[in-house]
Amino acid sequence: MSNLVSRDSNALRLLMTEDLYILPEKGILIQSGAEKAAEVLVQQTGDLPVQKPAEAEKSKEFFYLGENNKYFLILFDDPKHQEISSLHKETLLKIMSAKGLELRDLAILNLHQYPGVSFSELKEFFSFNKIALFGIDPQRIALAPVSSNQVEKQQGARLLCTFSIDEMISDTAKKREFWNVMKDF
C-alpha cells in the first residue's frame, strides 16, 4: 500500500474535515480548524511562503458563576472564597429573583481573584450592559468615582455601586436603600 501525499491546499481541506491542534515547542499559538491545519501543513511542505502567525491576543479568562444570558455582571470582593459563599449567593439570588432574574441571567465574579483587571477588560469578556459593584470602589476597575446607590452610565453600560453583601445582610436599612435603586436598574 502506498502513502498518499498531497501538497494541494484544496485537497487537504477536503481530506481533513476534523479540527487539528498543533502545539509548537516554542509557545507560538497556531489557530485550530481544518483550514488552518491544512495551511500549516502546506507551509511545512514548502509549497507556500511561510508566514509568521500574528501574536496571540492577551485576553483574560474569567471564572464566574451564572450564564450571563441577560448581560448583567455582578462584582463582589471576597478574599476568603474563590467563588461566592453560599450565604452571599442565597441573599443575592433572593434579591435578583424579586427583580425577575435567575442565576442563568447573571454573571457573578469575585474581583479579588483578578487584581488589576480593568473595566474595559471586563466589558470585552462579558459584553455586559449592566454592572453592579458590591462593596467595590469603581476606581479599582479604572472608572471615575461614583456615588453609592446611584445609577450612572459608563462606557455604554449602566453602573450601580452599592454596599457589600455582608453590609446588607447585617443592616436592613442598607438593604432597603439598595433595593429602592435596584428595582429600577
Side-chain angles (χ1 to χ4, degrees):
M1 180 178 225
S2 67
N3 290 336
L4 177 63
V5 177
S6 177
R7 293 188 172 144
D8 181 27
S9 62
N10 289 327
L12 289 173
R13 283 188 190 108
L14 291 173
L15 293 172
M16 303 176 121
T17 59
E18 296 181 10
D19 287 342
L20 297 177
Y21 300 92
I22 298 176
L23 303 173
E25 294 177 18
K26 295 184 180 182
I28 298 172
L29 176 66
I30 297 177
Q31 295 176 349
S32 65
E35 278 189 36
K36 279 293 179 186
E39 184 178 320
V40 168
L41 289 174
V42 169
Q43 288 174 358
Q44 290 174 351
T45 62
D47 281 352
L48 296 175
V50 176
Q51 298 174 357
K52 294 184 179 180
E55 202 172 300
E57 290 183 26
K58 295 180 181 179
S59 63
K60 287 195 175 203
E61 286 289 318
F62 296 100
F63 299 100
Y64 59 94
L65 189 62
E67 297 173 19
N68 199 23
N69 289 337
K70 302 273 180 157
Y71 304 104
F72 188 165
L73 177 62
I74 294 175
L75 298 179
F76 69 99
D77 186 13
D78 187 352
K80 298 176 190 164
H81 302 95
Q82 186 172 355
E83 292 182 0
I84 192 166
S85 70
S86 58
L87 176 63
H88 289 179
K89 179 181 172 183
E90 182 182 330
T91 303
L92 186 61
L93 290 179
K94 281 181 183 178
I95 293 168
M96 293 302 152
S97 68
K99 189 168 169 49
L101 297 171
E102 299 177 17
L103 180 58
R104 67 176 179 229
D105 300 326
L106 310 168
I108 303 172
L109 179 72
N110 185 356
L111 195 61
H112 189 78
Q113 301 295 321
Y114 305 96
V117 71
S118 69
F119 181 86
S120 58
E121 290 172 318
L122 292 169
K123 180 80 168 152
E124 181 180 329
F125 185 84
F126 290 100
S127 300
F128 55 82
N129 51 31
K130 292 181 184 178
I131 181 171
L133 280 66
F134 286 86
I136 297 172
D137 183 3
Q139 292 176 331
R140 186 167 162 194
I141 58 171
L143 287 177
V146 176
S147 301
S148 184
N149 289 320
Q150 298 272 330
V151 177
E152 293 194 17
K153 192 103 170 164
Q154 297 261 350
Q155 301 177 27
R158 296 179 69 201
L159 170 71
L160 172 62
C161 296
T162 189
F163 311 107
S164 70
I165 299 172
D166 280 328
E167 288 177 299
M168 287 192 275
I169 290 172
S170 62
D171 188 348
T172 55
K174 287 182 179 180
K175 191 175 187 179
R176 193 174 304 116
E177 184 180 343
F178 163 72
W179 175 245
N180 287 333
V181 177
M182 178 52 85
K183 64 184 175 186
D184 296 325
F185 183 61

